[in-house]
C-alpha cells in the first residue's frame, strides 16, 4: 500500500481535470498547458513580478508558468 501523498518538492502540480478546493487553473500561451495550482502556489508564481491586463487580452496575466517555467502570458481560470 502506498502512502506517498505528500506534494513533491517544488510545485505541487495537480491534474487540470481534477477539481480541488482553493485552487484554480492557469492556461499558458507559450506551452499551451493548463495547470492546476493552489491559490498559494499561484501567489508564489506571481512574485516578485506579475502584470495583469484583464481587458486587453485573452492571456491577461504575466507571470511564471508552472508548467514550462517561463515568464509569459497566462490566463487564470478561477472558476475551474
Ligand atoms: Zn507554460
Amino acid at each position: 500500500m502506498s502512502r506517498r501523498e505528500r506534494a513533491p518538492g517544488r510545485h505541487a502540480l495537480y491534474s487540470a481535470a481534477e477539481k480541488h478546493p482553493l485552487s484554480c487553473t492557469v492556461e499558458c500561451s507559450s506551452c499551451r498547458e493548463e495547470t492546476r495550482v493552489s491559490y498559494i502556489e499561484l501567489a508564489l508564481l506571481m512574485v516578485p513580478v506579475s502584470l495583469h491586463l484583464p481587458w486587453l487580452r485573452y492571456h491577461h496575466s504575466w507571470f511564471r508558468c508552472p508548467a514550462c517555467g517561463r515568464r509569459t502570458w497566462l490566463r487564470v481560470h478561477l472558476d475551474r
Side-chain angles (χ1 to χ4, degrees):
M1 220 188 280
S2 173
R3 298 182 117 260
R4 302 179 66 204
E5 287 177 43
R6 278 158 157 265
R10 5 180 260 124
H11 299 293
L13 301 179
Y14 308 108
S15 160
E18 292 175 67
K19 178 69 182 161
H20 289 262
L22 298 179
S23 70
C24 58
T25 63
V26 290
E27 191 180 331
C28 177
S29 65
S30 289
C31 65
R32 303 282 161 186
E33 282 292 329
E34 188 171 329
T35 312
R36 176 162 299 283
V37 293
S38 70
Y39 289 164
I40 295 166
E41 287 161 341
L42 182 67
L44 290 175
L45 290 167
M46 289 183 182
V47 289
V49 277
S50 65
L51 199 65
H52 303 277
L53 303 171
W55 302 278
L56 294 184
R57 42 193 303 150
Y58 176 77
H59 294 96
H60 52 67
S61 295
W62 188 87
F63 57 94
R64 192 159 59 81
C65 169
C68 64
R70 272 178 284 193
R71 287 192 196 280
T72 185
W73 290 99
L74 297 104
R75 183 176 178 93
V76 179
H77 296 281
L78 290 173
D79 54 336
R80 291 193 193 170

